[in-house]
Amino acid sequence: MDQNQSQTPKLVRTAHLKEFKQAGRKFSCLTSYDHMTAGIFDEAGIDVLLVGDSAADNSLGYTSTLPVTVDEMISFGRAVASAAKRALVVIDMPFGSYETGPADALANAIKLMKTSGVAAVKLEGGERSEIQIKAIVDAGIPVMGHIGFTPQSVNALGGFRVQGRGEGAEQLLADAKAVEAAGAFAVVLEMVPAEIAAQVTAELSIPTIGIGAGPDTDGQILVWTDFAGLTSQKPRKFVKRYANIRETLFESAKQYSKDVNEGKFPTQDHSFEN
Ligand code: KIV
């Protein structure tokens, strides 16, 4: 494959992420939950679209990622996968769909792959998820790992806390190596000190994808509602807001409501002739 083709592939596949790492070409990832925004992100050149279980709080109004089900994830997955022409589409395995063991993990991974049209699954946990990752990979399904702060374990971790600090660095490295040894094609590092993320990135042959993990990971991911400024909460330290969609929508809705109330919309321009 020539250099240009491997760095800007027409269709991003899991193997390309490793090529990007080897070439030092950083790659971009965003979460995505619906057809229209997925199409926009894909056209804009985002390399990976993650149908994250953050759809639970961002789209379904749950208070955490825990309640979202496999069937709900499938609907989000279909909407995104059918819009993506170039991006690699990865879907989260929701809480409860893999922790009970490799057989359940494999059955649910197969269900997600068969019905949503995505190219890979993601699941949380390092050493504790090693056998599940291996079972899924052995069945021919690409797996992305996710270590550091793992939102499905928010209750056990005592809230949204940076992971891998101090003595935690050793466990983080062990988790990263376990995910790699199990056959994952990439691993998300969430909310870990930049220095540790850089060390993990240097020690792994598979690409790392950071969210709150500093500038040295191979790829970066943000939750789309954060990056686009759709949420009303104060963004976390690691979020950069690239737009203020909330304000645009808010002002537009206010103006529309006012126009309707005052009889200014619709006008002749928006009406059919006989
Ligand atoms: O579901 C999600 O949004 C995620 C990202 C935080 C990586 O897993």
Side-chain angles (χ1 to χ4, degrees):
M1 203 183 291
D2 71 42
Q3 178 84 346
N4 198 36
Q5 206 187 341
S6 73
Q7 296 207 17
T8 51
K10 286 202 172 68
L11 174 66
V12 182
R13 296 185 183 276
T14 56
H16 289 119
L17 303 191
K18 198 163 198 176
E19 290 172 14
F20 295 162
K21 178 181 179 106
Q22 286 160 352
R25 188 274 212 193
K26 305 262 183 185
F27 57 90
S28 58
C29 319
L30 276 179
T31 67
S32 188
Y33 320 120
D34 74 282
H35 191 78
M36 281 203 187
T37 53
I40 295 169
F41 301 154
D42 183 66
E43 212 181 313
I46 301 298
D47 297 305
V48 179
L49 294 179
L50 170 67
V51 186
D53 60 354
S54 50
D57 33 331
N58 284 295
S59 284
L60 297 176
Y62 299 147
T63 52
S64 76
T65 60
L66 273 68
V68 72
T69 65
V70 169
D71 288 331
E72 286 169 331
M73 289 304 295
I74 287 169
S75 296
F76 291 120
R78 280 190 181 137
V80 173
S82 59
K85 305 273 177 288
R86 174 186 172 276
L88 174 73
V89 182
V90 181
I91 197 165
D92 254 330
M93 296 195 67
F95 176 65
S97 69
Y98 59 94
E99 294 85 345
T100 46
D104 285 348
L106 180 56
N108 282 314
I110 289 174
K111 184 171 175 187
L112 284 162
M113 294 295 290
K114 256 179 135 52
T115 50
S116 68
V118 303
V121 300
K122 171 166 91 55
L123 57 86
E124 296 183 3
E127 286 182 322
R128 73 177 162 94
S129 298
E130 198 172 349
I131 54 170
Q132 283 91 332
I133 295 173
K134 187 168 176 348
I136 300 169
V137 170
D138 284 351
I141 300 172
V143 177
M144 180 182 280
H146 184 159
I147 60 172
F149 177 73
T150 44
Q152 293 172 10
S153 308
V154 62
N155 297 309
L157 295 174
F160 287 80
R161 296 196 171 166
V162 175
Q163 304 293 309
R165 279 191 169 134
E167 287 173 5
E170 209 176 304
Q171 182 61 51
L172 191 80
L173 199 54
D175 283 336
K177 293 207 164 147
V179 167
E180 177 173 61
F185 69 89
V187 61
V188 171
L189 307 179
E190 181 164 355
M191 283 173 69
V192 301
E195 202 182 314
I196 310 300
Q199 188 191 344
V200 171
T201 302
E203 292 199 22
L204 293 192
S205 66
I206 59 169
T208 57
I209 302 170
I211 175 162
D216 293 321
T217 53
D218 301 302
Q220 294 290 333
I221 186 161
L222 284 175
V223 171
W224 93 261
T225 46
D226 290 340
F227 113 102
L230 194 63
T231 49
S232 54
Q233 304 100 305
K234 188 173 174 290
R236 288 185 210 286
K237 180 179 164 69
F238 57 80
V239 172
K240 177 170 173 184
R241 282 202 161 152
Y242 282 82
N244 195 343
I245 301 295
R246 184 181 170 78
E247 192 175 313
T248 305
L249 280 177
F250 180 77
E251 290 305 330
S252 311
K254 246 172 67 176
Q255 187 61 48
Y256 165 66
S257 172
K258 187 165 178 285
D259 284 357
V260 171
N261 293 159
E262 293 174 2
K264 291 185 179 159
F265 176 84
T267 62
Q268 280 305 109
D269 288 350
H270 306 103
S271 307
F272 295 109
E273 284 165 19
N274 204 348

